[in-house]
Amino acid sequence: MKTGNYFTDNADLVESFDRLVPWAQVVPLAEDPGASVAETVAAWREVLAVAGKYIGTEVAARAAKVDELGVVRANGGVDMSEPVKENLRGLAALGISGPSIPTAYGGGGLPFTVNTMLIEMLARACLSTEVQHAFHSAPAALIHRFGTEAQRARYLPKLASGEWIGGVAMTEPQAGSDVGSLTSTATREGDHWCLKGRKQFISAGSGQFSIVLARCLPGSKGLDGLGLFIADQQLVGPDGVAHANYAIERAEHKFTIKGSPTCALAFEATRAEALGAPGEGWKMILTFMNESRVGVGIQGVGVATAAFEAARDYAATRVQMGRPIREHPMVAEMLLDMETTVRGMRALLLEASLRLDRTLFAEAATGGASPELKRASRELRELTPLVKWYGAEEAIRVCRLALQIYGGYGVVTEYEVERHLRDSLILPIYEGTSQIQGLMAVRDLMRAVFAKPASLVGAGPSAWLARSSFAGETGRDFSAARRAHVAALRSLTLGLVRRSGLRALRGKLGDDELGPFLLNAERIAETLAHLHVARALAEQARVVPERGRWAARAARRARLVAERNLRQIRAGDGGVFAQIAAWRRERGA
């Protein structure tokens, strides 16, 4: 695997840090009001440079071994392999086990914008290690945001030091995306809560504790009546001997992120304490889910960068027909397409990270009342499913192209591109599938369309995209892509009105009536994602004109994607609904 300093050797990442982040806005959010912007930014840059050297040499060098060894299963227990532990120990020695945990609890106190770059480098080096590292900060964020001071004092320092890792247990065997169907329960028993139920596919589930989503209000249904609860994996009994508080049943055998334990957990009379107000669990877990979805997008750019760098280097040295294969037009186009995609991912993530910082820090300071915060929240809501969708689906495409450039060598395990492709395949699945992201994006678009139908004869329901305008060929392609996107929405909306009448615009419809919207949700999300990538790169080109070539390529691809999706949406596919009707008849529905 290519090694080096994964920060200073990555020109696009360095340029993003040095020229594209509005640090004068970020520093006052994360630091004391009187903090020097220049000194703070210099310190953060040094953190990334030091981390980049360790990650790009030590962690990257151990990645193949991490993949080869997978998860340790011995004596009925589940554990990380020694190379993963060594990676995490090294990160702890650098003081970046919990980079986003507040400094008051021993963490780095880094804003999300800086942490994004750290996560990207780790995901590029070894996605299994990055996943494990994330579960220092992920449970810490929930505890810091919703816990008592006693809970913060107990858990955050151990997470910040790297001593503990904690899982977040939501998914159940029969309740994946349908969170409201979970059956795990929490019952009050004296001074504590008692958990009962099973969880599955829990990343870092072999850690020292779990934050568990469970039903705690008897008689509640769906997303109501849920709560979050902290359960330590081991408890010390009256005899001073530690015993299991819940069972780590197994770690799944999987072909992706093999070094990260993905566990099934069983809770039976498990002693726990409430995190936040019982009954408010869904509202609290949403913050974790949305930030995790942005995190998956960051993982995507990391893995895609690794695959692109490997393919670019290989194509420069592999000679066929008397010249390096990068000089063959089809391969050259692949490489340009891959680089445009990676740069587009990074541009989109930078925008999401900046808005996360504004919402997280400003909400804590102001309670969420300022107009600026409301706008940042709206824009972050629009970006989040697209960051997750694009980061996941496009990472797979980049890794697939890298393997194709390697040819036969690409499927040989001693070369890293097959591992990058395998690891990338988890990205569209966890933290909400790509199809769920499509439904989220379409749901918000429909609300905007129903609130303002006239937008469908203008520049569309996204105020952000509607006000965007660029010069030259980039602007023409962007406008054409936006027109195709609006035409697709208009076609679907007119079809809805024909079927359901004007009551359709009041938005109170069932899934059968909304069928064509639901069928085409991922196509709409794909178009939206490409539009936002083209917009983000074009806006960057205003600051760094050299980026104009990437903006132009992204805008052209956005137009081609939007026009293709428009044709597919207009063509329809009644066969899907006929098949659904037949399946319903089979089960007597």
Side-chain angles (χ1 to χ4, degrees):
M1 185 168 186
K2 183 176 182 179
T3 59
N5 190 313
Y6 276 9
F7 179 69
T8 59
D9 293 350
N10 186 329
D12 188 52
L13 192 58
V14 168
E15 189 170 72
S16 296
F17 186 97
D18 287 345
R19 302 182 65 182
L20 294 171
V21 179
W23 292 118
Q25 299 174 24
V26 175
V27 171
L29 293 172
E31 298 291 322
D32 294 331
S36 164
V37 172
E39 291 177 5
T40 302
V41 172
W44 288 343
R45 198 183 194 283
E46 181 64 17
V47 168
L48 291 175
V50 171
K53 182 178 180 181
Y54 174 76
I55 292 167
T57 53
E58 300 289 331
V59 177
R62 284 188 280 267
K65 198 65 177 178
V66 168
D67 185 68
E68 177 190 339
L69 294 175
V71 173
V72 176
R73 301 170 177 86
N75 303 317
V78 173
D79 202 356
M80 298 175 286
S81 68
E82 184 55 34
V84 175
K85 291 181 179 179
E86 181 63 24
N87 288 341
L88 296 178
R89 284 195 293 266
L91 294 167
L94 293 176
I96 50 176
S97 287
S100 61
I101 297 174
T103 56
Y105 300 98
L110 297 180
F112 200 90
T113 303
V114 179
N115 200 26
T116 291
M117 299 181 182
L118 179 63
I119 296 169
E120 177 191 327
M121 293 189 292
L122 261 177
R124 175 185 170 186
C126 177
L127 188 55
S128 290
T129 296
E130 191 284 320
V131 171
Q132 291 302 103
H133 178 264
F135 283 90
H136 296 304
S137 293
L142 284 169
I143 293 169
H144 181 252
R145 198 167 295 151
F146 303 114
T148 64
E149 186 53 44
Q151 289 170 335
R152 295 186 191 113
R154 169 169 168 72
Y155 291 97
L156 297 192
K158 288 184 171 63
L159 291 166
S161 69
E163 182 182 351
W164 279 9
I165 284 178
V168 179
M170 293 175 51
T171 304
E172 297 187 1
Q174 301 301 321
S177 298
D178 185 10
V179 178
S181 294
L182 66 78
T183 58
S184 295
T185 59
T187 306
R188 185 82 189 199
E189 295 189 0
D191 63 349
H192 68 277
W193 290 80
C194 182
L195 297 177
K196 183 176 182 179
R198 294 185 66 246
K199 298 290 182 178
Q200 192 169 10
F201 304 135
I202 308 305
S203 297
S206 59
Q208 283 73 23
F209 70 96
S210 288
I211 296 177
V212 184
L213 185 68
R215 192 167 301 284
C216 59
L217 298 184
S220 62
K221 295 181 180 179
L223 300 175
D224 294 329
L226 304 178
L228 288 179
F229 301 88
I230 308 177
D232 289 349
Q233 206 280 318
Q234 297 278 331
L235 291 180
V236 177
D239 56 359
V241 177
H243 64 277
N245 190 31
Y246 57 86
I248 302 169
E249 291 188 318
R250 67 180 183 277
E252 305 293 351
H253 293 268
K254 56 193 193 299
F255 67 84
T256 183
I257 52 171
K258 292 168 67 174
S260 172
T262 303
C263 299
L265 309 178
F267 301 90
E268 186 66 43
T270 296
R271 190 182 183 98
E273 57 184 276
L275 177 63
E280 297 293 316
W282 175 244
K283 187 185 300 182
M284 292 186 287
I285 205 70
L286 268 180
T287 64
F288 166 79
M289 291 170 63
N290 287 330
E291 289 162 33
S292 295
R293 286 166 177 167
V294 174
V296 174
I298 304 169
Q299 292 175 346
V301 73
V303 175
T305 298
F308 166 64
E309 293 279 353
R312 183 176 62 182
D313 292 349
Y314 181 80
T317 57
R318 174 67 168 170
V319 175
Q320 292 284 277
M321 303 173 194
R323 52 183 166 166
I325 61 173
R326 71 180 180 181
E327 296 176 20
H328 293 280
M330 284 190 289
V331 175
E333 184 182 45
M334 288 181 190
L335 291 169
L336 282 171
D337 180 64
M338 294 163 76
E339 185 166 7
T340 303
T341 300
V342 169
R343 286 173 175 265
M345 288 179 180
R346 195 170 285 123
L348 201 62
L349 280 163
L350 179 56
E351 293 197 336
S353 300
L354 288 167
R355 284 156 182 80
L356 258 172
D357 275 334
R358 287 171 189 159
T359 56
L360 293 175
F361 286 110
E363 187 171 15
T366 67
S370 73
E372 180 187 357
L373 176 58
K374 289 180 179 178
R375 175 171 172 171
S377 297
R378 284 196 306 271
E379 292 176 346
L380 179 60
R381 182 184 176 96
E382 184 169 342
L383 284 181
T384 296
L386 307 180
V387 164
K388 208 282 188 181
W389 187 94
Y390 191 86
E393 296 293 337
E394 289 295 297
I396 291 175
R397 197 175 65 84
V398 168
C399 291
R400 170 67 182 83
L401 288 172
L403 188 143
Q404 188 70 20
I405 287 171
Y406 267 72
Y409 292 109
V411 300
V412 177
T413 56
E414 66 187 89
Y415 293 88
E416 67 264 35
V417 289
E418 64 85 26
R419 171 166 50 83
H420 299 325
L421 180 57
R422 282 190 287 108
D423 281 351
S424 73
L425 291 173
I426 189 60
L427 302 177
I429 296 173
Y430 63 4
E431 306 303 341
T433 66
S434 290
Q435 291 68 41
I436 292 292
Q437 305 315 305
L439 291 172
M440 288 176 60
V442 166
R443 179 187 61 192
D444 285 350
L445 272 183
M446 289 172 62
R447 286 174 179 163
V449 167
F450 295 154
K452 191 178 179 181
S455 67
L456 295 181
V457 295
S462 166
W464 198 354
L465 292 174
R467 65 176 178 261
S468 298
S469 178
F470 308 102
E473 183 181 359
T474 297
R476 289 189 292 273
D477 281 335
F478 177 83
S479 296
R482 186 173 56 194
R483 285 195 300 272
H485 168 60
V486 175
L489 293 176
R490 187 164 56 242
S491 176
L492 288 168
T493 303
L494 289 174
L496 183 61
V497 170
R498 282 194 294 269
R499 292 189 303 276
S500 305
L502 291 178
R503 73 184 185 87
L505 298 180
R506 291 194 291 272
K508 297 181 178 179
L509 302 168
D511 283 355
D512 286 345
E513 293 170 296
L514 294 172
F517 267 103
L518 302 179
L519 173 64
N520 291 290
E522 198 172 355
R523 293 187 179 100
I524 295 168
E526 180 186 24
T527 297
L528 268 176
H530 281 277
L531 274 165
H532 272 293
V533 165
R535 175 198 53 74
L537 285 170
E539 289 179 355
Q540 287 188 349
R542 287 171 170 159
V543 180
V544 183
E546 297 86 350
R547 291 178 171 250
R549 61 184 293 226
W550 307 109
R553 291 191 67 85
R556 180 175 179 272
R557 187 168 177 225
R559 175 174 61 81
L560 295 173
V561 167
E563 291 171 352
R564 180 245 297 159
N565 283 331
L566 172 61
R567 289 192 298 272
Q568 289 182 289
I569 289 169
R570 281 178 170 170
D573 190 352
V576 170
F577 302 109
Q579 183 63 72
I580 291 172
W583 285 330
R584 285 177 174 170
R585 288 193 297 272
E586 283 181 17
R587 63 182 179 87

